[in-house]
Amino acid sequence: MEIQNFKGNGWSARKVAQVYMVSIQSNSNIVETLTDFIKNQNIQAGEVSGIGAVSEATLRFFNFETKNYADKTFQEQMEVTNISGNVSVIEGNPVLHLHITLGRADYTALAGHLLEATIHGAGEFIFYPLNTRVVKIKDQETGINLYDFEK
Ligand code: FE
């Protein structure tokens, strides 16, 4: 089985067969750093999951009335109890769609679509790339980027 190590802007990774383990440095931005990783490794489809800790996170909630996201930033130390998401290509660029669940100091949870967050502590991810390129197109009716498997 082939094993390779890689390094990039704020991340390091080990590829085992087709699957990657990715570690993000403390004080790095999750979305920015993982986007650097998928671009570096030319990943255009697949799944990601992860855990870790953050010092700040901005979550979004999609409002179907306004067809816009409402954003809210939380500035506190939180456990990342789960990040789950996928990779697709939007307007020619590889894009991550990530959702996050955060554990606060009082053991309650926050959850939502992840706009951005800053790792503070560990950031540990597993990437399962799929050997294809999958495109998302903005759906005019809902305003949401949706898979278009015909493209
Ligand atoms: Fe989302």
Side-chain angles (χ1 to χ4, degrees):
M1 189 178 296
E2 199 180 350
I3 296 178
Q4 288 174 279
N5 290 341
F6 299 95
K7 252 188 183 8
N9 258 340
W11 59 266
S12 57
R14 171 166 293 181
K15 188 179 187 186
V16 183
Q18 294 303 309
V19 179
Y20 294 85
M21 303 161 69
V22 182
S23 176
I24 292 187
Q25 279 168 20
S26 198
N27 301 315
S28 301
N29 295 335
I30 294 178
V31 180
E32 190 182 310
T33 306
L34 290 181
T35 301
D36 184 74
F37 164 76
I38 60 171
K39 285 182 176 167
N40 183 280
Q41 292 298 308
N42 198 26
I43 298 170
Q44 299 187 314
E47 190 198 359
V48 55
S49 68
I51 57 172
V54 297
S55 56
E56 175 180 12
T58 302
L59 307 184
R60 334 192 80 177
F61 188 85
F62 190 77
N63 183 327
F64 273 88
E65 306 284 303
T66 61
K67 294 186 184 179
N68 273 314
Y69 285 96
D71 297 347
K72 188 161 182 173
T73 299
F74 299 87
Q75 286 179 312
E76 59 195 78
Q77 184 68 21
M78 294 174 281
E79 299 286 339
V80 177
T81 63
N82 189 55
I83 282 186
S84 53
N86 55 52
V87 183
S88 62
V89 175
I90 300 174
E91 293 176 354
N93 298 308
V95 173
L96 283 157
H97 182 192
L98 300 175
H99 286 194
I100 192 167
T101 310
L102 296 161
R104 306 178 100 165
D106 66 357
Y107 304 106
T108 61
L110 290 169
H113 178 108
L114 178 62
L115 181 62
E116 192 50 279
T118 307
I119 289 288
H120 189 228
E124 303 167 345
F125 299 84
I126 302 272
F127 265 87
Y128 305 91
L130 289 167
N131 204 10
T132 183
R133 179 182 192 271
V134 66
V135 170
K136 279 184 185 170
I137 304 282
K138 192 162 190 160
D139 178 61
Q140 291 311 318
E141 206 179 310
T142 58
I144 296 173
N145 293 316
L146 299 175
Y147 283 126
D148 187 341
F149 297 119
E150 308 301 316
K151 303 274 174 185

